[in-house]
Amino acid sequence: MYGLKALLVGCQGQTLAAVRHELEQLSIEIEYQARDVDSCLSFLAAHPSETRLFVVHPGSPIQSQVIQRLVDSVAGRPILVLVDAARDLCVVPCRPTIEAIELPFRPDHLRSAIHRLATQIPQTAARCRTILVLGATEGVGCTTVAVNLASELARLEKGSCILAEQAVAFGRLANYLGIRPKVTLYDLVSDLDHMDEARMRDALTPIDDNLDVLVGSYREITPFMITPEVAFKALACAMQLARTVVVDARHHFEEVDLDFAAKSQHVVLVAKPSIPSLHSMRTLLEALLRRGSLGKHYVVINQYVASADAISRHTIEGHLNEHEVFLVASDPAIALAENSGRLLRKSAPDSEALGDISTLARAILGMLPEQQPRSSLRDSLKRMAQSLNLG
């Protein structure tokens, strides 16, 4: 699935047997077994490759310089470190491409670590951009932002984009978009061992040029416990099929949700222009900061009405300690688009909210803001006359 081969370093006995079994289940071929880091580096010198997973059991107590030598030598490639005691976890370097688990490991812990590593491999990250859209509270319009952001990213980049939802048990996207896919995310993750790119492709529904959707259960409520293995394997599969993956987050703040957010390349955080919502946003920002979130975050204030009584952009930025927030206008075109199951780009291409979401998409892509066309003298005089009730 991942196009990876594994190098095992220092794995012996029962640990070796357990690791071999789990890698076989993931279709990851074991290319070489090295007795220690020195023999591993000798093998690498003679057999260079960019697509390797390193599984290392350095023994106990861990000598930090040994791990550091390997980290420095493999230049950002994924490393899974097996430690004999929890106290040794603090010796392992904190990097996006390094995971550590304690022995004896649970199979789901090892698979989850590998799935997380797969989404952080430099080659994979360069090939596919991941964006999580997360609401600070319920009712802030997170799904509306996610749907139309994905549409704008697909349009601007002219590359394949997958819009997926994190809610497995009962999703929003199928009803929001008026689609009825035969295969849902629930169907995929219910048989996790057989979930791969081919099965995920069967679950994708095209809704626009370069834009496909992966939805959660919608025919009925199907309780399901999301684990790190489920979340990161689904993401890793989607990343094999698209240039950009936009995830409409479920509104939960459990360990798996915060871990998923911390590992995403871009996190779009959505709130409303109200004091309770902004307080929640500040708490969420602080939580991600404490977890060492890896990606770039974008704060979006949705349903914003510019008026003398509104909370100003400057006040919001000061309250959240953010140098830039994105304002998305409260726009009646959104309700019309939702009621017709259409994208804003299709139903109201000139809407103010769509222009704001497009500005956010351009920021994520590193593009300059769109230049507004200059108004003609006739248009200016017409608007002036309308403001004066003269026509």
Side-chain angles (χ1 to χ4, degrees):
M1 170 182 158
Y2 300 126
L4 289 171
K5 293 184 178 181
L7 263 64
L8 308 187
V9 183
C11 299
Q12 300 177 4
Q14 188 59 40
T15 297
L16 174 61
V19 169
R20 290 181 67 91
H21 175 74
E22 293 305 322
L23 293 179
E24 182 180 337
Q25 295 299 308
L26 294 171
S27 300
I28 296 177
E29 176 188 343
I30 296 176
E31 184 179 15
Y32 184 68
Q33 293 177 219
R35 65 180 181 276
D36 53 29
V37 170
D38 287 333
S39 57
C40 172
L41 296 181
S42 297
F43 178 83
L44 290 177
H47 304 84
S49 173
E50 295 298 319
T51 53
R52 287 197 178 107
L53 165 69
F54 296 85
V55 182
V56 185
H57 181 206
S60 184
I62 291 180
Q63 297 181 0
S64 58
Q65 65 271 23
V66 174
I67 294 292
Q68 194 61 51
R69 280 183 60 212
L70 181 61
V71 170
D72 293 340
S73 300
V74 300
R77 278 169 276 178
I79 301 174
L80 174 60
V81 183
L82 309 177
V83 303
D84 291 306
R87 65 176 180 273
D88 292 329
L89 291 171
C90 62
V91 180
V92 179
C94 184
R95 305 275 182 87
T97 53
I98 300 175
E99 290 282 340
I101 59 175
E102 184 181 356
L103 293 173
F105 62 77
R106 283 174 39 184
D108 60 319
H109 285 177
L110 182 136
R111 290 193 296 264
S112 297
I114 292 176
H115 297 323
R116 284 194 296 269
L117 286 172
T119 64
Q120 302 299 320
I121 296 171
Q123 299 94 314
T124 304
R127 185 175 66 247
C128 182
R129 179 186 299 105
T130 60
I131 302 166
L132 180 70
V133 184
L134 177 60
T137 56
E138 287 279 20
V140 298
C142 181
T143 296
T144 296
V145 172
V147 167
N148 291 289
L149 175 62
S151 170
E152 289 304 286
L153 290 166
R155 179 184 69 87
L156 291 168
E157 196 172 30
K158 296 181 173 61
S160 57
C161 178
I162 292 175
L163 168 64
E165 60 187 339
Q166 205 175 33
V168 176
F170 189 53
R172 298 165 288 205
L173 287 178
N175 292 323
Y176 187 101
L177 295 167
I179 56 178
R180 293 294 179 263
K182 293 181 179 179
V183 181
T184 69
L185 180 59
Y186 176 81
D187 299 317
L188 295 182
V189 300
S190 295
D191 188 10
L192 197 63
D193 288 341
H194 294 94
M195 184 174 70
D196 55 19
E197 295 96 319
R199 289 206 68 214
M200 180 162 285
R201 200 181 297 275
D202 291 338
L204 296 178
T205 301
I207 61 169
D208 201 4
D209 293 342
N210 301 318
L211 181 58
D212 294 291
V213 179
L214 174 64
V215 307
S217 177
Y218 63 91
R219 302 182 190 94
E220 58 182 336
I221 299 175
T222 51
F224 188 89
M225 179 67 69
I226 295 181
T227 65
E229 183 181 4
V230 166
F232 285 98
K233 183 170 183 179
L235 177 61
C237 283
M239 290 175 70
Q240 305 297 315
L241 302 177
R243 181 68 187 86
T244 301
V245 176
V246 177
V247 178
D248 180 22
R250 62 181 193 155
H251 187 68
H252 290 265
F253 297 105
E254 297 171 5
E255 180 69 20
V256 61
D257 302 289
L258 293 174
D259 191 22
F260 196 89
K263 293 283 186 179
S264 297
Q265 296 170 19
H266 302 268
V267 183
V268 175
L269 303 165
V270 186
K272 292 194 300 185
S274 68
I275 296 301
S277 188
L278 292 176
H279 283 336
S280 296
M281 172 65 80
R282 187 166 63 181
T283 301
L284 182 54
L285 285 167
E286 290 170 352
L288 291 177
L289 180 63
R290 286 195 301 271
R291 295 184 72 89
S293 180
L294 301 172
K296 183 174 181 180
H297 67 259
Y298 309 79
V299 173
V300 173
I301 306 303
N302 193 29
Q303 305 167 15
Y304 188 81
V305 178
S307 69
D309 298 328
I311 305 174
S312 71
R313 181 196 296 268
H314 178 73
T315 299
I316 293 171
E317 290 173 345
H319 179 73
L320 299 177
N321 194 27
E322 288 288 311
H323 73 279
E324 179 183 24
V325 299
F326 293 83
L327 305 179
V328 175
S330 178
D331 191 334
I334 291 176
L336 295 174
E338 291 176 354
N339 288 333
S340 62
R342 302 179 71 193
L343 302 168
L344 272 172
R345 177 61 59 181
K346 296 292 186 181
S347 65
D350 297 322
S351 71
E352 186 178 1
L354 179 62
D356 294 334
I357 293 173
S358 186
T359 297
L360 171 63
R362 286 177 172 274
I364 292 172
L365 294 174
M367 301 171 63
L368 294 174
E370 187 174 16
Q371 293 292 328
Q372 297 298 322
R374 292 185 177 181
S375 301
S376 66
L377 177 60
R378 182 175 181 176
D379 290 337
S380 299
L381 292 174
K382 183 177 180 180
R383 283 197 298 272
M384 185 181 297
Q386 289 173 338
S387 69
L388 296 173
N389 295 321
L390 298 178

